[in-house]
């Protein structure tokens, strides 16, 4: 193995390819067991053996299973070391190996067995037992074509054999010649011998330490001593023989090094008491560091350092078991940062990450050591609150958490404000399993956010019923479009200067076959979360485009239909804008036939797709309206940067509109600002003649609301439009349309 067998050629540099198992082909005499396959697999699983096959003609290994593990070359980049197998074999053992192979060629069964030293990645030269057989790929061959066999680690057995066979002076030479640190304890004399390599492992030179029988224990980390004593005492007891235990050893510079400490009782007296122990120390510091890195990655969030979902799950499972025994409770808090996305989009992802780290630190500082704060991903955190008796006990804590999370965040010279919504589920009342508690805390969080955010909600059974309803709606959305359950209704938008109606807003409605009318507020978020809004949005556009074509020929040649566009449609990979513009071209419609309504938040999005689609719409003549204006965070710079044609004042400003009111001041300011920027204004939610009059006096361009008409289907709208065209002075609107403000300059 590793040399040019039978051909007297230089040692090759083999390449290794694992092609399959050949355990079953090995003779039982190689293992002295009735079931060699079971025996070999046991060695392989323990990392103490490897299978190999050598091809004489290729001068290379054609099979290799477990070799990297046995020799310690399992790390990234270590495979190159295995390629130089000739360099790994101890020079003094090349001749014995060659002799064993040549002797096997003279035997009928051609079986060989030999002990050799091979360089281990971290332990230096170690003893291995090589056993195998010579085979022919073709019975007609004159000489064997392959050798196959087992490589088995016999380091500890070999050292014990040497210790029993050589005198003390020769043994000390052995101690100094191997890679591991080796110790030899003579129990009656309380004399401890240490190899130079063991001393060097901890930074000491010979003579630096006063060696005595308890020295290794004194250098051991106090936390590891109980485990070490348990393993050693087991080996010392009658019937015991060896031990193996990991421990931390203090180095000369004060640092700690992880080692694998192995030992064996070499001899006992007539009464069975141990007389001599022999053992090794193997440096496993790098392995322990790698394990800790893997553990850190597996159980902790890389950004915040908080426990992740997996570790939280383990701790909740532990708390469930503990609380069932001690009759206590605990709470699971789901926390979501409100408007975090807007901070992320406006200030960048680095600032967003900084905010998450700061939020995590605030949560951690606010909780007890017995509680667990975990990051679930994104801007979602979860807290495991232990030792809870009553729901009321945590309300002060929840109030305090909300207060601390909404304090200003300092982000690289910028200030940001976010709040939090919290959903709470309590064990055992709200669930007896981690999965149920997660689900119910999430349902409570959903309610907290839907109620306006910056608040907390405890789970209640009716929340679960509502969650089940949402789940059913999500499933039913899959077939709603194909089964023609959607329809569009249209609400007129009145020109407040002329009384003419040449604009309507298309609104989506879902008539569920069992549930009846389903509010858009209920199903649109579900459609967005599942991505079905893209398909639904395209259907809305096609329906609106067809209607625009009809109404431009039947009513006003400049008739426009406004449609709402979800942010999800902007991020779709299916090219929403290109499809829409292509459809307009097929119908022969100009871009001005359609107005796309977007929210303020989309202007804040740094996603390239958003900007490109806005530009494409502008170039095609499609107008853009900013919906719910005044409720978000858009600024004048964004209104100037993008080609926006309309702003729509949110109905929350119109609802309580009165002379001299704050709402009146805000509406007038928004109208003045929009006109200064060359934008037109649409007021939503107009329900009274007084509101209409005040908006006209403020110079508002358009209005829509129940005062003029409720949303209606296309056939009813056509009747309404004909009546309006014949006499726009409908009952209740007459006095408004006769006001001088109608004829005031823009």
């Amino acid at each position: 193995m590793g040399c040019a067998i039978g051909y007297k050629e230089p040692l090759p540099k083999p390449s290794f390819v694992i092609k399959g198992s050949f355990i079953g082909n090995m003779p039982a005499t190689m293992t002295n067991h009735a079931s060699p396959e079971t025996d070999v697999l046991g060695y392989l699983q323990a990392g103490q053996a490897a299978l190999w096959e050598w091809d004489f003609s290729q001068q290379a290994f054609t099979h290799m299973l477990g070799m990297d593990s046995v020799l310690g070359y399992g790390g990234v980049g270590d495979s190159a070391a295995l390629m130089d197998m000739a360099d790994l074999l101890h020079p003094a053992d090349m001749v014995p190996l060659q002799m064993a192979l040549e002797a096997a060629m003279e035997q009928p069964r051609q079986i060989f067995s030999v002990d050799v030293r091979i360089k281990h990645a971290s332990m230096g030269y170690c003893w291995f037992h090589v056993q195998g057989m010579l085979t022919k790929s073709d019975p007609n061959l004159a000489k064997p074509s392959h050798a196959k066999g087992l490589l088995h680690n016999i380091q500890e057995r070999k050292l014990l054999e040497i210790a029993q066979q050589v005198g003390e002076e020769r043994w000390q030479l052995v101690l100094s010649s191997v890679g591991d640190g080796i110790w030899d304890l003579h129990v009656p004399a309380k004399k401890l011998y240490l190899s130079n390599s063991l001393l060097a492992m901890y930074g000491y030179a010979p003579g630096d330490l006063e060696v005595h029988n308890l020295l290794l224990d004194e250098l051991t980390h106090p936390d590891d001593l109980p485990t070490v004593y348990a393993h050693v005492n087991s080996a010392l007891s009658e019937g015991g023989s060896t031990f193996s235990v990991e421990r931390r050893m203090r180095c000369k510079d004060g640092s700690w090094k992880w080692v694998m400490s192995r030992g064996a009782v070499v001899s006992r007296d007539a009464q069975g008491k141990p007389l001599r122990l022999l053992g090794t120390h193997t440096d496993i510091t790098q392995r322990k560091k790698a394990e800790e890195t893997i553990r850190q990655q597996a159980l902790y969030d890389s950004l915040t350092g908080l426990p992740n979902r997996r570790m939280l799950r383990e701790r909740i499972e532990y708390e469930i078991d503990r609380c069932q025994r001690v009759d206590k409770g605990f709470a699971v808090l789901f926390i979501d940062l409100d408007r975090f996305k807007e901070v992320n989009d406006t200030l960048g992802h680095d600032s967003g990450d900084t905010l998450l780290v700061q939020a995590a630190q605030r949560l951690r500082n606010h909780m007890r050591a017995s509680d667990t704060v975990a990051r679930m991903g994104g801007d979602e955190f979860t807290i495991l609150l232990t030792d809870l008796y009553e729901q009321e006990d945590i309300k002060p804590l929840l109030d305090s958490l909300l207060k601390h999370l909404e304090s200003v965040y300092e982000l690289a010279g910028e200030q940001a404000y976010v709040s939090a919504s919290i959903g709470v589920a309590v064990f055992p009342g709200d669930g007896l399993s981690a999965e149920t508690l997660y689900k119910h805390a999430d349902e409570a969080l959903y309610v907290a956010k839907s109620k306006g955010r910056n608040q907390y909600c405890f789970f209640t059974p009716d929340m679960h019923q509502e969650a089940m309803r949402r789940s059913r709606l999500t499933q039913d959305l899959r077939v709603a479009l194909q089964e023609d359950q959607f329809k569009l209704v249209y609400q007129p938008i009145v020109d407040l200067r002329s009384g003419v109606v040449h604009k309507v807003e298309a609104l989506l409605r879902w008539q569920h076959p069992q549930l009846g009318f389903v509010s858009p507020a209920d199903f649109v978020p579900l459609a967005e979360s599942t991505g079905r809004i893209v398909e639904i949005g395209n259907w809305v556009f096609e329906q609106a485009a067809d209607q625009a074509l009809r109404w431009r020929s039947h009513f006003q040649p400049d008739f426009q239909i406004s449609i709402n566009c979800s942010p999800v449609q902007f991020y779709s990979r299916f090219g929403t804008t290109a499809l829409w513009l292509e459809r307009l071209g097929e119908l022969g419609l100009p871009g001005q036939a359609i107005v796309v309504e977007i929210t303020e938040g989309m202007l804040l999005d740094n996603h390239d797709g958003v900007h490109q689609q806005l530009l494409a719409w502008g170039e095609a003549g499609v107008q853009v309206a900013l919906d719910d204006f005044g409720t978000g965070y858009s600024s004048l710079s964004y209104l100037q940067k993008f080609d926006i044609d309309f702003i729509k004042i949110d109905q929350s400003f119109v609802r309580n509109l009165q002379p001299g009111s704050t709402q009146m001041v805000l509406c007038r300011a928004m109208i003045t600002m929009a006109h200064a920027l060359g934008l037109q204004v649409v007021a939503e939610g107009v329900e009274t003649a007084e509101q209409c009059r005040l908006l006209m006096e403020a110079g508002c361009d358009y209005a829509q609301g129940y005062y003029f008409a409720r949303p209606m289907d296309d056939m009813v709208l056509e009747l309404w439009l004909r009546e309006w065209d014949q006499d726009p002075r409908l009952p209740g609107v007459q006095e408004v349309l006769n006001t001088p403000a109608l004829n005031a300059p823009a």
Side-chain angles (χ1 to χ4, degrees):
M1 203 192 84
C3 52
I5 302 171
Y7 296 98
K8 308 301 182 183
E9 297 175 359
L11 291 172
K13 294 183 181 291
S15 60
F16 308 119
V17 182
I18 299 175
K19 295 184 179 178
S21 172
F22 50 93
I23 297 173
N25 297 327
M26 295 180 62
T29 53
M30 288 177 59
T31 57
N32 296 321
H33 287 274
S35 178
E37 182 169 349
T38 302
D39 184 64
V40 172
L41 284 176
Y43 282 125
L44 289 171
Q45 292 170 352
Q48 292 294 309
L51 294 173
W52 56 270
E53 183 178 55
W54 179 264
D55 187 315
F56 291 132
S57 62
Q58 297 182 25
Q59 289 291 288
F61 285 108
T62 54
H63 289 79
M64 187 180 70
L65 183 63
M67 191 81 79
D68 53 350
S69 176
V70 169
L71 296 179
Y73 293 96
V76 177
D78 285 347
S79 58
L82 280 175
M83 299 300 290
D84 295 323
M85 181 59 70
D87 295 336
L88 300 182
L89 185 68
H90 196 289
D93 294 331
M94 289 185 180
V95 172
L97 175 60
Q98 184 71 27
M99 292 175 63
L101 294 172
E102 292 175 355
M105 290 184 181
E106 306 299 325
Q107 300 174 5
R109 302 189 64 187
Q110 297 190 326
I111 294 175
F112 61 91
S113 176
V114 64
D115 294 345
V116 296
R117 284 161 292 182
I118 301 175
K119 186 179 294 183
H120 190 278
S122 61
M123 298 164 54
Y125 283 110
C126 292
W127 282 99
F128 289 87
H129 183 63
V130 180
Q131 51 189 0
M133 61 187 296
L134 304 178
T135 63
K136 298 178 181 179
S137 59
D138 184 342
N140 297 320
L141 293 175
K143 294 182 178 181
S145 60
H146 293 78
K148 64 176 64 175
L150 178 72
L151 182 72
H152 183 208
N153 190 315
I154 58 168
Q155 172 78 347
E156 293 186 15
R157 175 173 68 80
K158 199 70 174 180
L159 292 177
L160 289 176
E161 290 176 359
I162 295 173
Q164 293 170 344
Q165 294 172 3
V166 302
E168 289 303 323
E169 291 184 4
R170 292 181 64 194
W171 173 240
Q172 294 304 316
L173 291 175
V174 173
L175 290 181
S176 302
S177 65
V178 296
D180 268 5
I182 299 182
W183 55 269
D184 184 4
L185 176 63
H186 295 248
V187 179
K190 297 183 177 180
K191 292 180 63 178
L192 176 67
Y193 298 95
L194 303 178
S195 69
N196 291 342
S197 58
L198 187 143
L199 293 172
M201 187 180 296
Y202 306 120
Y204 295 101
D208 284 352
L209 290 172
E210 181 181 348
V211 179
H212 55 86
N213 63 315
L214 299 179
L215 175 62
L216 295 180
D217 292 347
E218 291 177 357
L219 294 178
T220 299
H221 196 290
D223 293 346
D224 298 338
L225 281 175
T227 303
V228 172
Y229 288 154
H231 282 77
V232 173
N233 289 335
S234 176
L236 295 177
S237 64
E238 188 174 349
S241 60
T242 64
F243 69 88
S244 179
V245 62
E246 295 178 355
R247 63 164 86 176
R248 284 164 289 181
M249 301 292 290
R250 188 177 69 249
C251 298
K252 185 176 182 179
D253 61 5
S255 63
W256 295 95
K257 180 171 289 190
W258 277 101
V259 298
M260 174 63 75
S261 177
R262 298 183 179 91
V265 178
V266 175
S267 60
R268 297 178 182 268
D269 61 16
Q271 289 74 40
K273 294 181 179 180
L275 296 176
R276 186 176 181 187
L277 280 79
L278 179 68
T280 63
H281 280 190
T282 304
D283 186 353
I284 59 171
T285 303
Q286 293 304 316
R287 193 198 84 194
K288 296 295 285 188
K289 287 181 178 179
E291 290 174 354
E292 179 59 26
T293 299
I294 294 172
R295 177 179 177 275
Q296 196 73 18
Q297 293 172 344
L299 299 177
Y300 290 88
D301 173 56
S302 60
L303 175 64
T304 63
L306 294 176
N308 63 11
R309 184 186 299 268
R310 178 178 174 183
M311 176 176 276
L312 176 69
R313 179 65 173 261
E314 292 177 359
R315 293 187 179 179
I316 289 179
E317 297 287 359
Y318 170 81
E319 280 299 312
I320 290 174
D321 182 65
R322 186 181 74 89
C323 289
Q324 287 174 336
R325 288 185 280 104
V326 300
D327 194 26
K328 286 186 178 181
F330 64 86
V332 175
L333 282 57
F334 269 28
I335 302 173
D336 188 86
L337 299 183
D338 304 326
R339 302 192 183 281
F340 169 75
K341 185 178 184 300
E342 294 176 7
V343 174
N344 217 24
D345 292 341
T346 54
L347 301 182
H349 291 285
D350 288 343
S351 293
D353 287 348
T354 302
L355 189 149
L356 291 174
V357 171
Q358 292 182 20
Q361 190 62 45
R362 294 182 188 187
L363 291 172
R364 189 160 31 200
N365 293 342
H366 215 66
M367 308 310 296
R368 302 166 300 175
S370 60
D371 302 324
T372 299
V373 180
R375 182 180 178 219
M376 306 297 276
D379 60 342
E380 298 175 354
F381 298 88
T382 300
I383 293 178
L384 169 61
L385 193 62
T386 60
D387 296 327
L388 179 67
Y389 292 94
E390 298 291 340
Q391 200 177 84
E392 296 294 322
D393 296 343
I394 63 173
K395 286 186 176 180
L397 171 66
L398 295 172
D399 289 325
S400 181
L401 281 175
L402 292 176
K403 180 180 178 181
H404 279 76
L405 288 173
E406 70 176 350
S407 299
V408 63
Y409 293 83
E410 300 290 343
L411 308 174
E414 299 283 351
Q415 291 187 332
Y417 294 87
V418 298
S419 57
S421 299
I422 305 176
V424 186
V426 179
F427 176 90
D430 297 335
L432 298 177
S433 68
E435 198 61 40
T436 302
L437 292 168
Y438 279 172
K439 180 171 63 177
H440 289 169
D442 192 41
E443 291 167 2
L445 173 64
Y446 182 91
V447 174
K449 295 185 80 69
S450 66
K451 286 185 175 180
R453 308 180 182 185
N454 195 25
Q455 57 185 290
Y456 59 83
C457 282
F458 288 90
F459 172 78
T460 58
D462 60 318
M463 291 180 187
H464 182 60
Q465 295 301 318
E466 179 59 26
M468 294 296 290
R469 180 176 181 271
R470 292 196 303 272
S471 178
R472 177 183 176 181
L473 290 177
T474 300
Q475 293 297 320
D476 292 346
L477 271 172
R478 300 172 61 185
V479 297
L481 195 59
Q482 288 76 9
E483 296 183 359
D484 295 325
Q485 296 173 15
F486 290 121
K487 71 172 185 177
L488 291 184
V489 294
Y490 303 89
Q491 186 173 41
I493 300 174
V494 178
D495 188 327
L496 293 181
R497 299 189 179 279
S498 65
V500 174
V501 175
H502 63 92
K503 297 166 65 70
V504 295
E505 180 179 0
L507 301 167
L508 182 63
R509 296 291 183 261
W510 183 14
Q511 190 67 31
H512 193 283
Q514 285 83 40
L515 302 177
F517 171 73
V518 180
S519 170
D522 290 335
F523 75 80
V524 168
L526 301 178
E528 289 179 327
S529 66
T530 59
R532 298 195 179 279
I533 195 67
V534 176
E535 182 183 15
I536 295 171
N538 289 339
W539 178 85
V540 169
F541 172 80
E542 290 181 0
Q543 297 296 309
D546 290 342
Q547 285 294 352
L549 181 64
R550 172 180 171 81
W551 289 336
R552 280 186 163 230
S553 63
H554 284 69
F555 298 101
Q556 301 286 342
D558 59 346
F559 205 96
Q560 281 186 322
I561 297 182
S562 298
I563 60 173
N564 291 278
C565 187
S566 164
V568 178
Q569 294 170 263
F570 275 79
Y571 308 138
S572 170
R573 66 180 187 277
F574 298 112
T576 295
T577 298
L579 290 174
W580 290 7
L581 297 181
E582 182 180 350
R583 180 58 178 164
L584 289 177
E586 292 172 355
L587 295 174
L589 278 174
Q592 291 81 358
I594 297 294
V595 176
V596 178
E597 296 190 7
I598 64 174
T599 60
E600 292 180 85
M602 292 176 66
L603 293 187
L604 305 178
D605 199 321
N606 287 324
H607 194 282
D608 289 340
V610 174
H611 301 170
Q612 292 171 1
Q613 291 187 66
L614 289 174
L615 291 172
W617 282 340
E619 292 174 357
V622 176
Q623 294 185 303
V624 177
L626 204 56
D627 200 10
D628 302 329
F629 188 78
T631 61
Y633 289 94
S634 64
S635 65
L636 295 179
S637 62
Y638 284 96
L639 295 178
Q640 292 175 316
K641 179 178 179 181
F642 299 108
D643 192 9
I644 305 299
D645 302 282
F646 302 92
I647 64 169
K648 300 189 73 172
I649 299 177
D650 187 69
Q651 58 183 339
S652 61
F653 296 98
V654 177
R655 186 179 300 117
N656 299 314
L657 200 60
Q658 295 178 358
S661 65
T662 302
Q663 286 82 358
M664 187 70 241
V665 174
L666 291 172
C667 284
R668 193 182 298 275
M670 285 187 277
I671 293 168
T672 301
M673 176 202 68
H675 288 168
L677 294 173
L679 310 180
Q680 292 184 295
V681 182
V682 180
E684 297 181 293
V686 177
E687 297 183 353
T688 67
E690 176 72 358
Q691 293 169 354
C692 186
R693 182 182 64 82
L694 291 172
L695 288 166
M696 292 170 65
E697 291 178 352
C700 187
D701 302 292
Y702 297 93
Q704 68 183 100
Y706 287 178
Y707 178 68
F708 303 106
R710 291 176 176 270
M712 60 196 88
D713 64 31
D714 55 335
M715 300 302 293
V716 176
L717 177 66
E718 290 185 8
L719 294 175
W720 187 93
L721 287 171
R722 291 190 178 96
E723 292 179 5
W724 183 272
D725 285 346
Q726 293 172 5
D727 185 6
R729 295 170 177 79
L730 295 178
V733 186
Q734 222 170 23
E735 65 276 19
V736 177
L737 296 177
N738 286 334
T739 177
L742 276 175
N743 302 313

